[in-house]
Amino acid sequence: MSRPPAEMPPHLVQFLLGGQTCVIATVDEQGLPQTTLMTWVVARNPETLTIAVDTRSRALKALRANGRIAVEVLGDDLCYGLRGTALVEKEQMQSAPFPCALVAVKLDEVRDHGAAGVRFVGPRYSFHPGKEHRKGVEEAVFAELKGPTPTI
């Protein structure tokens, strides 16, 4: 049996440039699964995701105890399951409005969960009137998650 690729296709990388809703699954110290809804998820490259994770959260505690992670990416006409190993790359992000660690995920598996003849419509979020300033904060978080531009 062939193993699924450990690299995201270009359209998925493009989709994950910031602001998409993803479901993150981790395993806690007792071996119990837990899920967390996250939007600060960015594809740094085809093999790596970065995530801003609240330092006070159960998700970060679980990732520190067991670095295995699964991510379900949901969007219009796409549904992917990603699995990999997470590592805290930065203990404290500078751009986040509350304490967040920058977690990098090296992907081990990328599976297309789409089905022929089925159109998936992904979840979305928006800001209430008067809260549009949050978009600027999010853009700063996404820029920090992407990291510096390589200099080669």
Side-chain angles (χ1 to χ4, degrees), residues 45-147:
N45 58 50
E47 301 88 23
T48 310
L49 286 178
T50 53
I51 307 169
V53 183
D54 189 326
T55 59
R56 306 159 296 183
S57 69
R58 291 175 32 182
L60 187 60
K61 187 174 180 181
L63 289 172
R64 288 187 194 280
N66 176 346
R68 302 299 297 154
I69 187 171
V71 180
E72 197 69 18
V73 182
L74 310 166
D76 290 352
D77 298 319
L78 63 87
C79 183
Y80 278 86
L82 313 175
R83 291 196 309 184
T85 303
L87 175 69
V88 175
E89 193 173 273
K90 189 188 293 186
E91 291 291 336
Q92 185 66 50
M93 293 182 65
Q94 300 303 307
S95 58
F98 52 87
C100 286
L102 192 156
V103 175
V105 178
K106 174 69 175 155
L107 297 176
D108 299 326
E109 182 177 277
V110 176
R111 287 186 183 267
D112 185 347
H113 290 169
V118 176
R119 181 168 196 285
F120 187 82
V121 179
R124 291 179 176 72
Y125 67 97
S126 61
F127 301 107
H128 288 283
K131 298 294 183 179
E132 295 87 358
H133 64 280
R134 290 185 178 171
K135 183 168 176 49
V137 171
E138 289 210 334
E139 288 171 355
V141 169
F142 299 143
E144 188 172 352
L145 287 171
K146 290 173 190 169

Side-chain angles (χ1 to χ4, degrees), residues 23-41:
V23 178
I24 308 294
T26 57
V27 178
D28 71 13
E29 304 84 19
Q30 289 78 41
L32 299 172
Q34 63 181 23
T35 58
T36 307
L37 187 67
M38 294 193 183
T39 58
W40 290 347
V41 180

